[in-house]
Amino acid sequence: MSIKLEMNVSIGDIEKALKELNIKENSENDFNIQQQICNNIKSKIAKNSSMKIEQEEVLEDNSVLLTICI
């Protein structure tokens, strides 16, 4: 079984996260934030024996699609 995980995040949540990371807005930092988020999700999945990353795909808009098997 595979599920698609979509997260709803408000602008306020994103701004708060940026302030906590002390990051200025630019495309290089956007990539770093995306990479940190993906790494965080992957590490949480690795710690959970009932989940496994089935596929990781970078889409045309440079967003990342993780297919997680549960």
Side-chain angles (χ1 to χ4, degrees), residues 12 20-21 24 37 40 50 61 64 70:
E20 288 174 1
L21 293 171
K24 295 179 181 139
I37 291 168
N40 188 346
S50 66
D61 66 351
V64 177
I70 58 171

Side-chain angles (χ1 to χ4, degrees), residues 8-18 25:
N8 294 321
V9 180
S10 72
I11 298 284
D13 292 336
I14 293 170
E15 289 174 345
K16 180 180 175 187
L18 288 172
E25 294 181 37

Side-chain angles (χ1 to χ4, degrees), residues 15-69:
E15 289 174 345
K16 180 180 175 187
L18 288 172
K19 286 178 185 175
E20 288 174 1
L21 293 171
N22 196 21
I23 292 177
K24 295 179 181 139
E25 294 181 37
N26 67 39
S27 61
E28 183 179 329
N29 285 332
D30 289 346
F31 173 77
N32 289 335
I33 292 169
Q34 179 178 344
Q35 188 174 32
Q36 289 174 2
I37 291 168
C38 283
N39 289 341
N40 188 346
I41 291 170
K42 289 191 280 187
S43 71
K44 289 181 181 183
I45 291 168
K47 292 176 185 175
N48 189 328
S49 61
S50 66
M51 291 192 284
K52 182 178 113 181
I53 295 178
E54 190 173 290
Q55 182 179 354
E56 181 177 348
E57 183 180 354
V58 178
L59 304 179
E60 290 178 11
D61 66 351
N62 287 328
S63 61
V64 177
L65 174 64
L66 295 175
T67 304
I68 302 168
C69 182

